Amino acid sequence: MKGGDAHSDKGNTRTIEVFDTTLRDGEQTPGISFTNEQKLTIARQLEKLGVDIIEAGYPISSKDEREIVKLICEEGLSAKICGLARVLTQDIDACIDCGVDLIHIFVPSSRIQREHTTKMSEEAVKEQTYEMTKYVKDHGFSCMFSAMDATRTRQDFLVDLFKTAEEAGADILNVPDTVGVSEPFSIFELVGEIYRAVNVPISIHCHNDFGLAVANSLAAVKAGASEVQVSVNGLGERAGNADLAETVMSLNSIYGLKTNIKTEYLFETAKLIERFSGVQIPITKPIVGENAFSHESGIHAHGVIEKSDTFEPGIMTPEMVGHRRRIVLGKHTGRHSIENKLSEIGMFPPKEQLDEILERVKALSVSGKKVTDDDLFTIAEVVTGEVAGHERVITLKELSVMTGNNLIPTASLKAVVRGKECTSAQMGVGPVDAALKAVQEIIGDEIGGDIELRDFRIEAITGGSDALAEVIVGVKKGDRVVTARGARDDIVMASIEAFINAVNRLLQE
Ligand code: KIV
Ligand code: ZN
């Protein structure tokens, strides 16, 4: 879409390419190092997400790096695999040896970087750019050229340098805001200038030193860039790169532009990178943060329960990004939220009891406790007396599981069902499966086989191998479906606790 219409996206059906650099710039985040196995898993997840290009690494940097870039290339993904190289033959040869699809060559172009790193004159930078772009092309590879620190480079020289790369055959030109000093208006001007001077596609690579990386990337797209360089959770040098989810959702939902990203996998991708990187996603992070679609205050929760668009963007829903909406209980909770949550488990207390439940929920929150749905249900049971004094239909007494690479996972379980002690031992494809089968057997024998396990979701809600696991289970009897949660640091216990909670609620009706 050359020729002046780049600055208006009216009626624009451009598809913007997504170039992911989580494995390269993302791994340059101080303190982060992915294992090779993690890198392969990340590459497969990026493929599932639909990114167009995966920057897999910087092959010259180590033998290990070359090995993993090669392995990613051998995966046969449909995303193009890119390797990074300085404008040096040995760097480019390392990329060639790995079998990448695209070689990304870069050279410092600003005066400050040239004088204090490469000691190259502008003329030498141009010459080396020409030679090395040609070298990549002569070897039959696609070439991306980056003028490092472009946004602090003398503009005439920068445009000249990009033209030189174009002349030598570069397939795409990248404009890095290496130290994140740009703002949307200046990026718009700069990219527009380059866009008008060359005839190859432009990519934008923004760092987030002032929190403007996403805004700057969007401005560059407005000015004609057709590719955004992003990373999952915004990982990258210093304050990171433009965040993939934020950039893609803004392009889609605000600008009405297309990408090939399957946005429903954004949340799970962010969670994977959170786990592998050990960098926790802030609760307030847009799109993938825990609070991105959470509501506590009475007015907001009431509105959202009636119609979600009242206090959410509407042009972006939790379903679109694979997240979930949560009505959170706390000191700002209103009666509507309580009523709504209780109705989900079939409790409909009268107004006076509802007021008392609300007061107790607020008091619990003010005392400093995070109020969970289970806390609410316990309060409601006590206030309404609906279940108070009743035995739980099924109570777990003991659970042990055995698993290992030479064992069929087996679970033995003891539970009391309506006052009678029952035991079961079952095998499964994994320990959770075996334990669930053991509970199901007891339920089938003692209560009847018409309780179906419907929904089963495991979510690691904190990072690390000692993550607290939150399990959500739905059970069905007739046309009633009840869901319940379990949260433990032991995933098998959390699963069984959630299942038993759900069955108890279903049967207490
Ligand atoms: O920030 C930067 O300039 C880079 C280049 C290698 C493109 O990451
Ligand atoms: Zn960078």
Side-chain angles (χ1 to χ4, degrees), residues 204-431:
I204 183 75
H205 176 106
C206 292
H207 279 272
N208 205 28
D209 298 69
F210 287 89
L212 292 171
V214 173
N216 287 339
S217 304
L218 298 175
V221 168
K222 267 282 185 204
S226 54
E227 180 180 284
V228 284
Q229 300 205 352
V230 289
S231 66
V232 180
N233 298 345
L235 295 183
E237 290 274 9
R238 305 178 312 282
N241 287 82
D243 177 85
L244 185 152
E246 293 167 28
T247 308
V248 165
M249 288 315 293
S250 301
L251 289 172
N252 283 1
S253 295
I254 299 177
Y255 286 65
L257 293 170
K258 291 189 189 127
T259 68
N260 291 319
I261 296 296
K262 299 181 187 88
T263 60
E264 64 275 24
Y265 299 126
L266 285 171
F267 181 71
E268 69 172 45
T269 306
K271 287 308 231 186
L272 179 84
I273 297 298
E274 178 184 51
R275 203 147 50 82
F276 284 177
S277 65
V279 178
Q280 213 169 334
I281 300 172
I283 55 171
T284 51
K285 188 160 176 66
I287 302 161
V288 298
E290 191 57 24
N291 284 1
F293 300 95
S294 294
H295 310 271
E296 179 185 314
S297 80
I299 294 174
H300 284 222
H302 185 169
V304 164
I305 289 166
E306 294 297 319
K307 184 161 177 56
S308 58
D309 296 12
T310 49
F311 290 98
E312 282 179 10
I315 50 175
M316 175 176 71
T317 63
E319 293 77 23
M320 280 164 82
V321 300
H323 205 339
R324 66 190 157 115
R325 180 174 297 114
R326 287 191 317 140
I327 303 296
V328 178
L329 299 169
K331 73 173 180 180
H332 308 293
T333 293
R335 189 179 312 122
H336 217 78
S337 303
I338 302 276
E339 231 176 344
N340 186 261
K341 278 186 187 284
L342 292 180
S343 72
E344 279 173 10
I345 58 155
M347 284 181 102
F348 303 95
K351 182 178 172 308
E352 312 74 62
Q353 287 185 349
L354 207 55
D355 287 344
E356 191 182 338
I357 295 167
L358 180 60
E359 280 321 302
R360 290 197 193 197
V361 165
K362 289 185 176 202
L364 195 60
S365 165
V366 170
S367 75
K369 185 175 185 318
K370 190 173 167 215
V371 187
T372 64
D373 286 2
D374 277 331
D375 294 327
L376 167 68
F377 300 147
T378 308
I379 292 171
E381 285 168 4
V382 172
V383 170
T384 62
E386 262 186 41
V387 192
H390 287 226
E391 288 290 313
R392 284 164 67 86
V393 177
I394 170 164
T395 308
L396 178 67
K397 287 288 172 200
E398 283 171 28
L399 171 67
S400 60
V401 288
M402 278 196 310
T403 189
N405 59 350
N406 278 327
L407 282 175
I408 297 175
T410 309
S412 329
L413 186 133
K414 190 187 282 179
V416 175
V417 183
R418 293 193 172 122
K420 179 179 164 198
E421 193 165 281
C422 313
T423 55
S424 167
Q426 287 288 323
M427 292 184 288
V429 292

Side-chain angles (χ1 to χ4, degrees), residues 87 92 105 127-139 141 143-145 164-171:
V87 284
I92 295 167
I105 56 170
E127 259 172 45
Q128 193 70 2
T129 295
Y130 188 85
E131 291 305 321
M132 291 303 105
T133 304
K134 262 194 89 38
Y135 186 80
V136 172
K137 294 306 294 176
D138 288 348
H139 283 80
F141 285 80
C143 180
M144 167 185 280
F145 170 71
T164 304
E166 181 185 16
E167 251 172 63
D171 299 280

